[in-house]
């Protein structure tokens, strides 16, 4: 952990290297000592499991040491891509996360623009507070809230429809295949938009006020100022958040889907994570599940690197690194 | 702010204002009403609430479902586990995060880049559910309380946010302390931390929120009821579908009026939502600040 290279420019130049090294260590050893808990944590909970991904290339039955399990190469991946369940999970995963990206990515931008246009400070504060609220609550609990709103017997939606004179039966949206993905996407937007909205609001506050004045003098109304000043002023933030979202494309929302899915809709919402959970921890096919997980992480990593590169090319200030 | 000049309002401007006003009302209703609904339902008499619909206030106010839910030991046990997880987890995570972020914020630390990359890589690539599960099993953490806190002992994201904040504290402050023969730990506790109270509060809130809300650890790594988390208990109750027989498992039915399954569900949701809402309303300025702090890349 404290493996360090010989420091340059520390201590007096005339001293021998060994002494400089000692002097550096004497004044800095405590800093390295402070790093120990964090680095030990990273090694034990992040890097050792990374060695564990080799299970994907072995035939591991869950008993005994990983490294003693026989090496089978790409066989698990071949098997994985031949199973219908995994192909279904992969398709659902991509469809759900692309839908979340298309419909979910613009919504915090729109929310931020609406909130920004409020002139009464108190209302602005209320709305700003309200949009984050769903983000603070566990998906398990949010599922219960959705149930309260959508329940076909006692829900709010039913009451509202009846108030408008609707007489027919109301489908159980929580268990109906045809609309379940829409429910996933909409509830995701509801839950997740708040935090990004606050980020965009901060970015909008950073836009130079003089630009608005200049645009107003040129006769630009609300919508044209919105397009030419506000949106163009926050494009770096938009690009950065976009990179983050695209990097997450392989992760379609385990917490959410695990909490709100049920057997009636499993065919349209089984994603890679729920698939890995089911075949790995319930059916104990460790190697196959690990292969699915590794495929997911590796693709995710590639996606981050590619989108970061593209974003950097388009706008050097954006991107993650 | 791109707002319409109030002196010369055209019809288009007025329409824009009406449209924006409607959007604002819609946003407030969508974000607040669902939680309000659940709380009001939980405070209503089961029979009066049965017809459903919109709840602006409780219908024939009663705390029956609360007293029924509270008549079992299980909910208190679950709540206590969640509170303990949040308190111990946040304390541990704060110590580890601060101790890691401070040295890495110092420009004079050799090997800093190596450690930063090592931590950054964990944000880009995760090993997945199964390898993590096997490691936790090998460490002997399955079905222990510690499985709730150790795997979340440091969030790389929070560490980077804090490190970037520490890096903005002028070096001159810590240099003057070094001349007085203070060691790095003393500089951290006497100079750096007192200057970082707002950032620390923000990060602590984020940890509290994630420890309180995460439930997958309770599903994946824990089987004993003794260690059950509130969220896992809520999940069990909400997914129950066997009318009163199931409710019987929840608590003592005798000597009370009719209490429907829906009332019990709404009550357990309300019990887990109300503390979070109160907590948030008191400390929301840190939440808002935190989101913005995190957005600054570095």
């Amino acid at each position: 952990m404290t493996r360090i290279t010989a420091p340059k420019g520390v201590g007096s130049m005339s001293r021998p290297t060994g002494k400089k090294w000692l002097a550096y260590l004497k004044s800095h050893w405590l800093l390295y000592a402070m790093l120990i808990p964090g680095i030990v944590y990273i090694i034990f909970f992040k890097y050792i499991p990374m060695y564990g991904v080799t299970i994907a290339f072995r035939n591991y039955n869950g008993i005994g040491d990983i490294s003693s399990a026989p090496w089978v190469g790409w066989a698990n991946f071949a098997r994985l891509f031949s199973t219908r369940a995994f192909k279904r999970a992969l398709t659902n995963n991509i469809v759900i996360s692309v839908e979340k990206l298309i419909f979910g990515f613009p919504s915090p931008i729109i929310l931020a623009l609406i909130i920004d246009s409020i002139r009464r400070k108190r209302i602005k504060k209320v709305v700003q507070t309200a949009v984050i609220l769903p983000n603070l609550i566990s998906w398990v609990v949010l599922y219960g809230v959705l149930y309260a709103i959508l329940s076909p017997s006692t829900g709010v939606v039913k009451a509202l429809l009846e108030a408008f004179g609707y007489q027919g039966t109301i489908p159980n949206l929580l268990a109906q295949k045809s609309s379940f993905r829409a429910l996933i996407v909409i509830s995701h937007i509801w839950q997740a938009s708040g935090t990004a909205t606050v980020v965009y609001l901060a970015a909008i506050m950073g836009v130079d006020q003089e630009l608005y004045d200049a645009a107003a003098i040129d006769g630009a109304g609300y919508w044209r100022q919105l397009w030419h000043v506000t949106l163009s002023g926050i494009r770096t933030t938009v690009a950065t958040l976009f990179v983050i979202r695209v990097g997450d494309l392989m992760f379609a929302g385990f917490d959410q889907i695990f909490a709100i899915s049920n057997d009636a809709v499993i065919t349209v919402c089984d994603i890679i994570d729920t698939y890995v959970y089911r075949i790995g921890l319930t059916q104990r096919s460790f190697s196959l599940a690990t292969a699915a997980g590794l495929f997911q992480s590796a693709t995710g990593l590639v996606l981050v690197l590619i989108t970061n590169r593209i974003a950097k090319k388009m706008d050097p200030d954006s991107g993650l690194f | 702010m791109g707002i319409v000049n109030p002196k010369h309002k055209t019809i288009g401007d007025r329409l824009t204002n009406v449209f924006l006003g409607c959007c604002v009302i819609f946003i407030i209703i969508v974000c607040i009403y669902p939680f309000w609904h659940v709380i009001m339902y939980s405070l209503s008499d089961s029979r009066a609430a049965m017809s459903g619909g919109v709840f602006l206030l409780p219908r024939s106010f009663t705390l029956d479902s609360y007293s029924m839910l509270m008549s079992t030991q299980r909910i208190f046990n679950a709540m206590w586990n969640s509170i303990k997880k949040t308190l111990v987890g946040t304390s541990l995570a704060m110590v580890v995060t601060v101790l890691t972020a401070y040295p890495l914020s110092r420009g004079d630390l050799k090997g800093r880049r190596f450690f930063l990359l090592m931590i950054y890589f964990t944000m880009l690539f995760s090993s997945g559910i199964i390898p993590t599960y096997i490691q936790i099993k090998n460490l002997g953490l399955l079905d222990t309380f510690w499985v709730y806190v150790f795997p979340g002992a440091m969030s790389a994201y929070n560490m980077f946010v804090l490190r970037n904040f520490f890096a903005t504290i002028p070096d001159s402050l810590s240099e003057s302390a070094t001349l007085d023969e203070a060691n790095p730990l003393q500089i951290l506790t006497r100079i750096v931390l007192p200057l970082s109270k707002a950032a620390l509060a923000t990060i602590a809130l984020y940890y509290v929120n994630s420890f309180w809300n995460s439930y997958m650890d309770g599903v994946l790594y824990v089987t004993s009821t003794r260690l059950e988390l509130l969220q896992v208990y809520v999940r069990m109750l909400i997914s129950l579908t066997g009318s009163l027989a199931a409710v019987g498992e929840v608590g003592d039915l005798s000597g009370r009026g009719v209490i429907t399954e829906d009332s019990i569900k709404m009550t357990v949701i309300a019990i887990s939502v109300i503390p979070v809402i109160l907590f948030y309303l008191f400390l929301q300025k840190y939440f808002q600040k935190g989101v913005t702090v995190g957005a600054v890349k570095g």
Side-chain angles (χ1 to χ4, degrees):
Chain A
M1 214 141 316
T2 48
R3 197 180 49 141
I4 42 166
T5 50
K8 291 162 205 144
V10 175
S12 154
M13 290 306 285
S14 58
R15 280 185 197 164
T17 329
K19 272 200 176 163
K20 269 197 282 182
W21 203 87
L22 268 180
Y24 172 78
L25 211 58
K26 207 177 162 198
S27 58
H28 288 75
W29 69 271
L30 203 51
L31 288 175
Y32 291 103
M34 286 170 164
L35 282 175
I36 291 173
I39 298 298
V40 166
Y41 163 75
I42 287 283
I43 289 172
F44 272 88
F45 290 96
K46 304 289 173 184
Y47 281 95
I48 293 178
M50 277 186 207
Y51 170 72
V53 300
T54 60
I55 295 170
F57 303 97
R58 296 172 194 273
N59 194 353
Y60 180 65
N61 55 8
I63 305 157
D65 199 21
I66 295 168
S67 44
S68 60
W71 191 267
V72 295
W74 295 94
N76 290 319
F77 289 90
R79 221 176 100 210
L80 192 66
F81 279 94
S82 67
T83 62
R84 202 182 289 165
F86 177 71
K87 278 189 256 178
R88 186 184 75 187
L90 182 60
T91 316
N92 283 338
N93 202 89
I94 294 170
V95 171
I96 290 172
S97 46
V98 168
E99 281 177 359
K100 278 183 176 176
L101 182 68
I102 294 173
F103 298 106
F105 187 75
S107 62
I109 304 178
I110 297 167
L111 276 174
L113 293 175
I114 292 170
I115 294 174
D116 182 61
S117 74
I118 302 172
R119 273 193 276 159
R120 288 205 199 133
K121 279 222 169 98
R122 279 194 49 197
I123 300 179
K124 194 169 185 168
K125 187 127 203 189
V126 169
V127 185
Q128 237 169 319
T129 307
V131 290
I132 303 190
L133 200 53
N135 193 255
L136 303 173
I137 288 157
S138 172
W139 265 112
V140 175
V141 178
L142 289 182
Y143 172 71
V145 175
L146 288 177
Y147 168 83
I149 302 298
L150 300 175
S151 159
S153 53
T154 61
V156 179
V157 169
K158 173 186 176 260
L160 287 179
L161 285 175
E162 281 174 357
F164 284 107
Y166 181 78
Q167 295 294 325
T169 52
I170 285 116
N172 183 3
L173 294 174
L174 292 167
Q176 185 169 306
K177 267 188 212 171
S178 59
S179 58
F180 198 73
R181 275 194 200 137
L183 181 72
I184 290 175
V185 173
I186 293 170
S187 61
H188 161 79
I189 293 174
W190 175 56
Q191 190 262 351
S193 294
T195 45
T197 305
V198 177
V199 175
Y200 286 125
L201 273 173
I204 292 174
M205 297 244 265
V207 177
D208 192 352
Q209 186 60 45
E210 282 176 24
L211 291 175
Y212 289 110
D213 300 339
I217 289 167
D218 290 344
Y222 175 77
W223 297 100
R224 283 180 60 197
Q225 288 186 22
L226 195 77
W227 181 254
H228 291 290
V229 183
T230 315
L231 279 178
S232 90
I234 62 169
R235 63 176 189 279
T236 307
T237 311
V238 174
T240 304
L241 291 194
F242 190 76
V243 172
I244 296 177
R245 290 288 296 109
V246 173
D248 275 346
L249 265 187
M250 290 308 286
F251 301 90
F254 189 25
D255 266 27
Q256 177 196 16
I257 290 174
F258 193 81
I260 74 172
S261 69
N262 50 61
D263 287 343
V265 290
I266 189 85
T267 51
V268 293
C269 70
D270 191 26
I271 55 168
I272 297 181
D273 296 280
T274 47
Y275 172 80
V276 169
Y277 170 77
R278 200 173 56 249
I279 66 157
L281 295 180
T282 356
Q283 299 166 16
R284 305 192 86 71
S285 309
F286 286 105
S287 291
L288 209 57
T290 310
L294 178 59
F295 171 77
Q296 180 187 31
S297 299
T299 318
L301 178 62
V302 171
L303 279 174
V304 178
L305 297 177
I306 293 174
T307 39
N308 188 59
R309 212 170 195 159
I310 295 172
K312 273 243 140 94
K313 269 216 174 108
M314 282 159 56
D315 180 355
D317 291 334
S318 66
L320 296 176
F321 41 86
Chain B
M1 213 166 0
I3 214 58
V4 182
N5 186 346
K7 278 178 198 158
H8 316 281
K9 267 190 190 161
T10 65
I11 292 178
D13 290 343
R14 281 175 206 277
L15 281 178
T16 304
N17 280 347
V18 170
F19 171 72
L20 289 173
C22 293
C23 291
V24 169
I25 293 167
F26 178 75
I27 294 168
I28 295 181
I29 292 175
V30 166
C31 293
I32 294 178
Y33 177 73
F35 303 104
W36 182 257
H37 177 91
V38 168
I39 295 169
M40 290 306 124
Y41 196 115
S42 72
L43 295 170
S44 300
D45 178 68
S46 275
R47 244 176 302 202
M50 219 142 51
S51 56
V54 178
F55 282 73
L56 294 178
L57 287 169
R59 295 180 197 161
S60 27
F61 177 86
T62 168
L63 290 171
D64 276 358
S65 56
Y66 283 85
S67 67
M68 177 164 156
L69 205 58
M70 302 270 190
S71 69
T72 61
Q73 202 55 50
R74 200 165 164 182
I75 188 158
F76 288 108
N77 178 57
M79 205 176 260
W80 172 238
N81 282 333
S82 278
I83 292 172
K84 205 162 78 173
K85 171 188 172 186
T86 309
L87 289 180
V88 177
T90 306
S91 315
L92 177 74
M94 284 308 284
V95 172
V96 176
T97 309
V98 166
L99 287 181
T100 311
Y102 177 63
L104 296 178
S105 74
R106 298 245 317 218
D108 57 340
L109 187 88
K110 305 283 164 191
R112 186 172 72 133
R113 232 185 119 68
F114 168 76
F115 292 121
L116 284 175
L117 272 174
M118 183 177 174
I119 297 170
Y120 187 61
F121 185 68
T122 66
M123 290 172 77
L124 297 179
F125 183 83
S126 66
S127 40
I129 299 167
I130 305 296
T132 307
Y133 176 85
I134 289 171
Q135 171 68 355
I136 281 170
K137 192 177 100 185
N138 289 344
L139 291 171
L141 291 174
L142 285 188
D143 253 329
T144 65
F145 170 74
W146 297 107
V147 82
Y148 291 141
V149 293
F150 284 152
M154 181 173 79
S155 131
Y157 180 81
N158 285 348
M159 196 286 290
F160 276 101
V161 170
L162 196 60
R163 181 199 91 96
N164 291 347
F165 186 86
F166 285 163
T168 62
I169 296 172
D171 281 342
S172 56
L173 283 172
S174 52
E175 271 159 18
S176 64
T178 323
L179 291 179
D180 302 337
E181 305 265 305
N183 69 38
L185 200 61
Q186 286 164 331
I187 299 175
L188 176 65
T189 52
R190 286 184 203 161
I191 297 171
V192 177
L193 292 186
L195 287 172
S196 317
K197 279 186 196 136
L200 292 171
T202 303
I203 285 175
L205 281 187
Y206 273 83
Y207 277 127
V208 167
N209 194 39
S210 84
F211 277 110
W212 180 261
N213 283 338
S214 60
Y215 68 95
M216 285 313 296
D217 45 3
V219 174
L220 294 172
Y221 310 131
V222 173
T223 46
S224 84
T225 322
R226 192 175 52 84
L227 288 171
E228 186 179 55
L229 293 175
L230 180 63
Q231 317 296 350
V232 176
Y233 181 63
V234 171
R235 191 175 125 84
M236 193 275 289
L237 271 190
I238 294 176
S239 58
L240 280 182
T241 41
S243 68
L244 283 175
V247 183
E249 239 179 63
V250 173
D252 178 23
L253 267 172
S254 58
R256 292 196 181 83
V258 175
I259 297 176
T260 57
E261 206 182 293
D262 271 2
S263 281
I264 290 295
K265 288 179 182 177
M266 295 308 132
T267 308
V268 77
I269 295 167
I271 288 176
S272 42
V273 159
I274 293 169
V276 181
I277 294 180
L278 292 180
F279 187 72
Y280 171 56
L281 289 181
F282 282 119
L283 299 166
Q284 56 146 318
K285 84 171 179 196
Y286 291 110
F287 272 102
Q288 309 249 346
K289 212 180 267 169
V291 176
T292 354
V293 168
V296 181
K297 59 169 186 155

